[in-house]
Amino acid sequence: MGMAAESQFHVLAVDDSIIDRKLIERLLKTSSYQVTTVDSGSKALEFLGLHEDDTTNPSTPCVSPNNHQEVEVNLVITDYCMPGMTGYDLLKKIKESSSLRDIPVVIMSSENVPSRISRCLEEGAEEFFLKPVRLSDLNKLRPHLMKTKSKDQHQKQEKQEEKSAFQSPKQQQQEKEEHQQQQQASNNKRKAIEEGLSPERTRPRYNGITTVV
Amino acid sequence: MDVVKLQKQLVDYRASLYHEAFLDEQFTQLQELQDENNPDFVVEVVSLFFEDSERLLNELAKALEQQSIDFKRVDAHVHQLKGSSSSIGAQRVQKVCITFRNYCEEQNVEGCLKCLQQVKHEYSLVKTKLETMFKLQQQILAAGGSIPM
């Protein structure tokens, strides 16, 4: 498989639906990520080592003294519509936290609401996926994860990965068609490449191939 | 037991489910996520869907029986059902949920009650179909055959 010498990326998936948790877990594992799933935003924050009152009360003893969370999380993928803390609320809390703000966050939603999508992207979400999420969507995660592994990397990458080795032939065909417009010359899989900030970074991503109404 | 005959039966049956919109492309996605290391993935997800749906349908019935109906609550349940049916590719169930949500927004009791009946019906149909399909798969495996894609 393609993961070679690097340790696996660890993704924290947040969704109140047990079906969707199972699905996202399988999708992520198929893509060779290590996965932890939780069913709420508050549990996600707990897992990340942040308690809800942390941003307003930094002297809270329940936060570990070093800046890093107990378990390293390389990406958070969360459902938008959840009871209690929404995915947007979770995103905000992560971005407001000095220890967590560099963790890329991806939002998933079953509803295609442009204002919702813009709001999330403006708040710092890397991507917005329409449900049901597919393997081809997850390939968009890799550049964001590569960025966190590279120390000096501050800028987003827009280059596409070459087709993943774990895609089925059908997926590869879909991938090809979907990314024709975004294809760049470079085809390095693993090396982080510096590129100028692209204005396309904040362009909302609409998945045109789902059957979601 | 004729394995070849069973396999053909399965292929035809599955095709009919897509043709009649009981299932859509998302179900195919689920099948593609299954492999030798996760041979029961589809059955597991579908079982979760059954459990979850039955819970939601009960909640919906209760919520709509109330003197004063809390439409927000009803809508929240329908939203969940819509999401999970979409996630497994149960297209007909998903479609009824869309109509159902519209009635919730309009606070239309008649409409909601009608949709509840419809969604129960569609759910029951897709459940039977999927169980039949899984049974066929079991028969094939028991006869030493493999499941055709």
Side-chain angles (χ1 to χ4, degrees):
Chain A
M1 291 256 162
M3 290 308 292
E6 289 184 40
S7 55
Q8 282 187 314
F9 289 118
H10 182 197
V11 178
L12 177 64
V14 191
D15 201 314
D16 60 314
S17 158
I18 187 168
I19 289 123
D20 288 346
R21 277 201 303 281
K22 187 151 176 91
L23 199 51
I24 196 74
E25 181 189 51
R26 184 90 289 277
L27 284 166
L28 289 166
K29 284 189 170 159
T30 298
S31 307
S32 292
Y33 297 121
Q34 199 191 324
V35 190
T36 299
T37 61
V38 292
D39 64 6
S40 71
S42 41
K43 292 213 182 120
L45 290 176
E46 227 179 279
F47 187 81
L48 291 165
L50 188 75
H51 292 261
E52 285 189 51
D53 55 1
D54 184 53
T55 51
T56 52
N57 184 7
S59 59
T60 301
C62 48
V63 175
S64 50
N66 57 0
N67 268 337
H68 308 291
Q69 64 265 26
E70 306 287 328
V71 184
E72 200 193 348
V73 170
N74 304 114
L75 185 135
V76 174
I77 182 164
T78 178
D79 186 27
Y80 183 92
C81 281
M82 295 188 292
M85 195 187 296
T86 66
Y88 178 77
D89 297 329
L90 175 61
L91 166 68
K92 273 193 85 172
K93 288 220 184 312
I94 290 173
K95 294 302 168 186
E96 282 165 7
S97 154
S98 49
S99 54
L100 302 177
R101 70 162 64 104
D102 289 331
I103 300 178
V105 181
V106 171
I107 311 279
M108 306 179 277
S109 178
S110 55
E111 292 168 322
N112 188 349
V113 181
S115 56
R116 174 184 296 182
I117 297 171
S118 324
R119 205 158 67 111
C120 290
L121 294 173
E122 276 161 27
E123 195 58 42
E126 307 293 342
E127 298 277 352
F128 191 101
F129 294 158
L130 282 178
K131 283 179 162 183
V133 177
R134 298 181 164 192
L135 265 179
S136 53
D137 293 320
L138 294 196
N139 287 326
K140 294 188 187 307
L141 297 183
R142 205 156 285 274
H144 302 299
L145 285 158
M146 290 311 298
K147 172 192 64 155
T148 64
K149 282 281 180 179
S150 165
K151 267 183 299 178
D152 307 299
Q153 184 76 355
H154 291 295
Q155 299 180 3
K156 305 271 197 270
Q157 306 176 79
E158 276 296 303
K159 54 171 278 308
Q160 277 301 314
E161 290 290 332
E162 263 193 349
K163 284 180 283 290
S164 166
F166 357 99
Q167 278 177 313
S168 64
K170 244 194 242 182
Q171 293 285 339
Q172 291 185 18
Q173 187 50 41
Q174 251 175 15
E175 257 291 81
K176 216 187 227 171
E177 287 164 34
E178 211 183 330
H179 297 293
Q180 246 161 22
Q181 322 154 248
Q182 299 179 33
Q183 200 133 47
Q184 309 251 334
S186 167
N187 63 1
N188 280 329
K189 275 189 206 190
R190 312 300 292 167
K191 267 200 305 191
I193 292 177
E194 297 271 335
E195 275 193 20
L197 243 185
S198 166
E200 292 181 11
R201 173 171 88 81
T202 55
R203 184 183 61 196
R205 183 204 164 270
Y206 296 92
N207 186 343
I209 56 173
T210 58
T211 54
V212 172
V213 291
Chain B
M1 240 181 287
D2 187 346
V3 174
V4 176
K5 195 161 164 226
L6 285 171
Q7 287 170 327
K8 171 125 195 348
Q9 230 183 307
L10 175 66
V11 170
D12 290 344
Y13 193 69
R14 210 160 47 194
S16 75
L17 297 186
Y18 283 95
H19 187 67
E20 291 161 33
F22 284 105
L23 297 177
D24 66 24
E25 169 64 20
Q26 179 58 18
F27 191 79
T28 312
Q29 294 287 315
L30 290 188
Q31 290 182 304
E32 288 182 1
L33 288 171
Q34 184 165 287
D35 58 24
E36 321 78 55
N37 296 323
N38 300 274
D40 302 316
F41 176 68
V42 179
V43 171
E44 284 168 7
V45 180
V46 172
S47 303
L48 285 173
F49 171 70
F50 290 162
E51 275 171 42
D52 201 52
S53 301
E54 274 152 43
R55 175 186 65 88
L56 289 167
L57 290 171
N58 282 335
E59 293 293 324
L60 281 168
K62 264 194 277 181
L64 287 168
E65 274 166 20
Q66 301 304 308
Q67 279 275 21
S68 168
I69 296 174
D70 182 350
F71 285 100
K72 272 217 159 91
R73 192 181 161 82
V74 176
D75 182 69
H77 291 317
V78 179
H79 173 80
Q80 279 188 47
L81 185 58
K82 174 169 167 278
S84 55
S85 55
S86 159
S87 291
I88 69 146
Q91 199 187 86
R92 281 161 62 147
V93 174
Q94 186 194 349
K95 287 226 156 89
V96 179
C97 288
I98 293 167
T99 310
F100 203 154
R101 290 195 80 190
N102 290 336
Y103 283 129
C104 287
E105 207 178 303
E106 292 168 17
Q107 308 216 345
N108 182 333
V109 183
E110 290 282 317
C112 283
L113 288 170
K114 203 177 75 176
C115 276
L116 178 59
Q117 289 320 304
Q118 261 185 291
V119 85
K120 276 165 102 164
H121 178 67
E122 288 300 339
Y123 166 71
S124 149
L125 283 176
V126 80
K127 179 165 194 256
T128 306
K129 305 271 178 190
L130 286 168
E131 284 173 340
T132 303
M133 195 182 74
F134 291 146
K135 214 167 282 174
L136 259 174
Q137 288 180 343
Q138 285 301 97
Q139 283 180 288
I140 292 170
L141 292 173
S146 60
I147 311 294
M149 265 295 121

